[in-house]
PDB file of all heavy atoms in Angstrom:
ATOM      1  N   PRO A 264       2.396   7.239  13.901  1.00  0.00           N
ATOM      2  CA  PRO A 264       1.768   7.152  12.585  1.00  0.00           C
ATOM      3  C   PRO A 264       2.729   6.774  11.475  1.00  0.00           C
ATOM      4  O   PRO A 264       2.341   6.044  10.574  1.00  0.00           O
ATOM      5  CB  PRO A 264       1.228   8.616  12.359  1.00  0.00           C
ATOM      6  CG  PRO A 264       0.982   9.056  13.730  1.00  0.00           C
ATOM      7  CD  PRO A 264       2.070   8.464  14.553  1.00  0.00           C
ATOM      8  N   ALA A 265       3.991   7.262  11.516  1.00  0.00           N
ATOM      9  CA  ALA A 265       4.998   6.874  10.561  1.00  0.00           C
ATOM     10  C   ALA A 265       5.326   5.371  10.595  1.00  0.00           C
ATOM     11  O   ALA A 265       5.490   4.759   9.588  1.00  0.00           O
ATOM     12  CB  ALA A 265       6.217   7.750  10.699  1.00  0.00           C
ATOM     13  N   ALA A 266       5.373   4.873  11.816  1.00  0.00           N
ATOM     14  CA  ALA A 266       5.657   3.450  11.994  1.00  0.00           C
ATOM     15  C   ALA A 266       4.483   2.643  11.430  1.00  0.00           C
ATOM     16  O   ALA A 266       4.658   1.601  10.774  1.00  0.00           O
ATOM     17  CB  ALA A 266       5.841   3.121  13.457  1.00  0.00           C
ATOM     18  N   ALA A 267       3.268   3.059  11.689  1.00  0.00           N
ATOM     19  CA  ALA A 267       2.088   2.370  11.089  1.00  0.00           C
ATOM     20  C   ALA A 267       2.092   2.451   9.553  1.00  0.00           C
ATOM     21  O   ALA A 267       1.791   1.371   8.945  1.00  0.00           O
ATOM     22  CB  ALA A 267       0.799   2.969  11.635  1.00  0.00           C
ATOM     23  N   ASP A 268       2.491   3.544   8.996  1.00  0.00           N
ATOM     24  CA  ASP A 268       2.609   3.655   7.523  1.00  0.00           C
ATOM     25  C   ASP A 268       3.650   2.629   7.006  1.00  0.00           C
ATOM     26  O   ASP A 268       3.427   1.985   6.013  1.00  0.00           O
ATOM     27  CB  ASP A 268       3.010   5.092   7.100  1.00  0.00           C
ATOM     28  CG  ASP A 268       1.887   6.082   7.331  1.00  0.00           C
ATOM     29  OD1 ASP A 268       0.745   5.648   7.520  1.00  0.00           O
ATOM     30  OD2 ASP A 268       2.198   7.248   7.299  1.00  0.00           O
ATOM     31  N   ARG A 269       4.797   2.471   7.748  1.00  0.00           N
ATOM     32  CA  ARG A 269       5.840   1.616   7.268  1.00  0.00           C
ATOM     33  C   ARG A 269       5.319   0.131   7.349  1.00  0.00           C
ATOM     34  O   ARG A 269       5.643  -0.720   6.522  1.00  0.00           O
ATOM     35  CB  ARG A 269       7.093   1.798   8.124  1.00  0.00           C
ATOM     36  CG  ARG A 269       7.745   3.141   7.861  1.00  0.00           C
ATOM     37  CD  ARG A 269       9.064   3.275   8.608  1.00  0.00           C
ATOM     38  NE  ARG A 269       9.446   4.645   8.722  1.00  0.00           N
ATOM     39  CZ  ARG A 269       9.401   5.352   9.856  1.00  0.00           C
ATOM     40  NH1 ARG A 269       8.906   4.758  10.965  1.00  0.00           N
ATOM     41  NH2 ARG A 269       9.759   6.646   9.855  1.00  0.00           N
ATOM     42  N   LEU A 270       4.591  -0.150   8.436  1.00  0.00           N
ATOM     43  CA  LEU A 270       4.116  -1.539   8.576  1.00  0.00           C
ATOM     44  C   LEU A 270       3.134  -1.867   7.497  1.00  0.00           C
ATOM     45  O   LEU A 270       3.216  -2.955   6.881  1.00  0.00           O
ATOM     46  CB  LEU A 270       3.318  -1.664   9.946  1.00  0.00           C
ATOM     47  CG  LEU A 270       4.218  -1.734  11.192  1.00  0.00           C
ATOM     48  CD1 LEU A 270       3.323  -1.644  12.430  1.00  0.00           C
ATOM     49  CD2 LEU A 270       5.038  -2.934  11.207  1.00  0.00           C
ATOM     50  N   LEU A 271       2.258  -0.929   7.092  1.00  0.00           N
ATOM     51  CA  LEU A 271       1.414  -1.133   5.958  1.00  0.00           C
ATOM     52  C   LEU A 271       2.080  -1.391   4.683  1.00  0.00           C
ATOM     53  O   LEU A 271       1.767  -2.299   3.857  1.00  0.00           O
ATOM     54  CB  LEU A 271       0.343   0.042   5.813  1.00  0.00           C
ATOM     55  CG  LEU A 271      -0.781   0.087   6.883  1.00  0.00           C
ATOM     56  CD1 LEU A 271      -1.430   1.486   6.842  1.00  0.00           C
ATOM     57  CD2 LEU A 271      -1.788  -0.964   6.552  1.00  0.00           C
ATOM     58  N   ALA A 272       3.110  -0.566   4.411  1.00  0.00           N
ATOM     59  CA  ALA A 272       3.797  -0.644   3.119  1.00  0.00           C
ATOM     60  C   ALA A 272       4.613  -1.905   3.029  1.00  0.00           C
ATOM     61  O   ALA A 272       4.769  -2.496   1.961  1.00  0.00           O
ATOM     62  CB  ALA A 272       4.673   0.604   3.033  1.00  0.00           C
ATOM     63  N   ALA A 273       5.231  -2.321   4.148  1.00  0.00           N
ATOM     64  CA  ALA A 273       6.215  -3.392   4.121  1.00  0.00           C
ATOM     65  C   ALA A 273       5.690  -4.796   4.462  1.00  0.00           C
ATOM     66  O   ALA A 273       6.360  -5.804   4.206  1.00  0.00           O
ATOM     67  CB  ALA A 273       7.387  -3.118   5.127  1.00  0.00           C
ATOM     68  N   ASN A 274       4.397  -4.858   4.859  1.00  0.00           N
ATOM     69  CA  ASN A 274       3.815  -6.144   5.343  1.00  0.00           C
ATOM     70  C   ASN A 274       2.523  -6.412   4.695  1.00  0.00           C
ATOM     71  O   ASN A 274       1.483  -6.498   5.434  1.00  0.00           O
ATOM     72  CB  ASN A 274       3.771  -6.164   6.841  1.00  0.00           C
ATOM     73  CG  ASN A 274       5.111  -5.965   7.491  1.00  0.00           C
ATOM     74  OD1 ASN A 274       5.843  -6.969   7.671  1.00  0.00           O
ATOM     75  ND2 ASN A 274       5.468  -4.750   7.840  1.00  0.00           N
ATOM     76  N   PRO A 275       2.428  -6.482   3.366  1.00  0.00           N
ATOM     77  CA  PRO A 275       1.098  -6.830   2.802  1.00  0.00           C
ATOM     78  C   PRO A 275       0.609  -8.220   3.314  1.00  0.00           C
ATOM     79  O   PRO A 275       1.370  -9.050   3.645  1.00  0.00           O
ATOM     80  CB  PRO A 275       1.432  -6.907   1.294  1.00  0.00           C
ATOM     81  CG  PRO A 275       2.928  -7.143   1.248  1.00  0.00           C
ATOM     82  CD  PRO A 275       3.479  -6.495   2.408  1.00  0.00           C
TER      83      PRO A 275
END
Side-chain angles (χ1 to χ4, degrees):
D268 289 345
R269 294 186 198 104
L270 287 173
L271 282 165
N274 299 276

